[in-house]
Amino acid sequence: MILDDFLIFNPNGLYCKYGDFYLDPQLPVTNAVISHAHADHALPGNTNIFCTEATHAFMKLRYGKNAGKIFNIADYHAPFNVGKVQITFVSAGHMLGSAQVLMEYHGVKYLYTGDYKVQPDTTCEPIEWVNADVLITESTFADPAILHPDPVEEIKKLNDIQLNILLGAYGLGKSQRLINMISEHAPQKKILVHHRIMPINAIYQKMGITLGKHEIYGRKLMKNQEEFVYIVPPFTFDSYIRATGVKRLFASGWKNLQVNKQDTLFISDHVDWNDILQAVKNVDPKQIWTLHGNGKHLEKYFGDDIVVKILN
Ligand SMILES: [Zn+2]
Ligand SMILES: [Zn+2]
């Protein structure tokens, strides 16, 4: 029997009382299961943290000693228990080390996707599908009107730009995917990387990911027009607002970050409407619980076929 109160929101975040743990808690807690290392999911200061090896490495880099007390590292497919709930990490395809959290309790399977994506990305483990009775999915882009374009076509737009390019992107996950895609689809470009992004790249490389040729940005570079692409985090991107002799572009799937259509590479690390439908098909749940966004469209789409519950 599916337990309607298996996961509930309280002020610390999404809580499972049957295992006494939180999924991606928003305040420090005793038991935290962390799906991936993006800052809105992986917060510092928890006591017992359950996560993948890569997530641990990124959290250590960002938070140092404050990352958390006891890290329990688990591989994909290696079940462990928190309280009476058995947990298994399943690859989410979102960034290196990202995991869906499969929770089994009294014979019922609950699958928390965390952030996930279906598009190919050779800088992370590909998404894997497992069956579950309840699919707890992010619904950031759960709207039939939102369909992500082909990311390769987006990257190929760089080939039409001869000016040096300032490319804004999140430092963790997106930047590495961009380096990899530019190397493959715009190989004549010379990739420069902001110094804040380099230690993240080092973790990727240490974990066996080939990013492609790139070097740390130096002041002397970019003096000439040599098809440089300089990848910078958002705050640096904003500070270059008056830069001359460069084409400014921002890579994102978020509408509110996109300057305008000509200045955006629409590359998302989240699922769009069709991807969510694919997830539902593959996971084959009896119920869908939605998080972070809009569950209304899914509710309407599935009607009486699948129960859709909006968790937030
Ligand atoms: Zn994320
Ligand atoms: Zn997120």
Side-chain angles (χ1 to χ4, degrees):
M1 195 184 65
I2 293 169
L3 297 167
D4 206 43
D5 63 352
F6 187 75
L7 294 174
I8 48 149
F9 270 107
N10 72 24
N12 297 326
L14 191 56
Y15 180 60
C16 176
K17 69 175 177 187
Y18 300 95
D20 187 25
F21 61 83
Y22 286 83
L23 295 165
D24 298 336
Q26 299 301 300
L27 289 168
V29 297
T30 306
N31 297 314
V33 179
I34 294 186
S35 66
H36 67 289
H38 280 149
D40 52 333
H41 294 258
L43 278 80
N46 296 297
T47 307
N48 301 300
I49 302 97
F50 302 86
C51 65
T52 63
E53 189 188 347
T55 298
H56 175 229
F58 296 128
M59 287 180 75
K60 275 273 180 220
L61 175 67
R62 186 187 300 123
Y63 302 125
K65 281 201 189 83
N66 301 323
K69 216 163 195 175
I70 301 160
F71 276 87
N72 303 272
I73 310 297
D75 289 332
Y76 298 123
H77 304 290
F80 57 93
N81 287 305
V82 182
K84 293 196 170 95
V85 177
Q86 187 189 74
I87 293 180
T88 313
F89 288 144
V90 178
S91 166
H94 174 63
M95 60 164 285
L96 188 62
S98 66
Q100 305 177 72
V101 182
L102 178 66
M103 295 159 282
E104 299 183 57
Y105 182 71
H106 285 185
V108 179
K109 293 179 178 175
Y110 305 82
L111 180 69
Y112 167 73
T113 62
D115 292 347
Y116 63 114
K117 85 168 176 293
V118 179
Q119 289 178 354
D121 176 357
T122 53
T123 65
C124 69
E125 309 83 356
I127 188 163
E128 219 184 295
W129 302 107
V130 290
N131 288 127
D133 301 290
V134 181
L135 171 67
I136 302 121
T137 177
E138 64 142 327
S139 56
T140 314
F141 299 114
D143 181 335
I146 299 175
L147 299 173
H148 296 332
D150 179 356
V152 172
E153 292 309 312
E154 291 294 293
I155 280 289
K156 283 182 174 169
K157 288 179 182 172
L158 298 180
N159 290 317
D160 302 329
I161 303 169
Q162 265 78 53
L163 271 183
N164 291 338
I165 296 166
L166 185 73
L167 181 56
Y170 280 115
L172 174 58
K174 184 62 63 68
S175 292
Q176 292 72 34
R177 188 180 180 201
L178 289 170
I179 293 168
N180 182 272
M181 292 185 79
I182 295 166
S183 309
E184 188 174 348
H185 302 290
Q188 78 286 5
K189 297 288 181 192
K190 295 178 188 142
I191 303 171
L192 305 175
V193 173
H194 190 266
H195 68 92
R196 297 262 301 248
I197 297 172
M198 291 303 272
I200 303 172
N201 291 356
I203 292 175
Y204 269 78
Q205 284 160 322
K206 201 174 143 210
M207 299 201 68
I209 303 294
T210 310
L211 295 178
K213 203 167 155 242
H214 64 278
E215 61 180 302
I216 189 166
Y217 170 82
R219 266 164 177 270
K220 293 208 174 94
L221 298 161
M222 299 253 290
K223 288 257 186 264
N224 303 315
Q225 294 293 343
E226 290 181 58
E227 297 216 35
F228 286 113
V229 179
Y230 178 24
I231 300 176
V232 298
F235 73 95
T236 311
F237 184 74
D238 292 340
S239 70
Y240 274 99
I241 194 140
R242 286 187 186 84
T244 51
V246 293
K247 170 76 180 169
R248 292 171 85 246
L249 287 170
F250 200 88
S252 178
W254 295 92
K255 282 242 159 33
N256 57 351
L257 285 178
Q258 294 159 8
V259 201
N260 57 52
K261 227 173 164 5
Q262 307 86 275
D263 298 332
T264 297
L265 292 185
F266 196 103
I267 298 178
S268 173
D269 296 307
H270 292 260
V271 284
D272 68 6
W273 176 252
N274 286 336
D275 297 333
I276 294 179
L277 296 188
Q278 189 189 339
V280 173
K281 194 165 171 251
N282 290 329
V283 174
D284 196 20
K286 297 181 185 78
Q287 295 193 10
I288 301 169
W289 297 354
T290 68
L291 290 169
H292 308 306
N294 187 349
K296 286 266 175 254
H297 295 286
L298 287 168
E299 206 171 25
K300 195 170 158 216
Y301 182 87
F302 288 108
D304 297 331
D305 297 339
I306 303 177
V307 175
V308 176
K309 184 168 93 170
I310 297 164
L311 274 183
N312 53 337

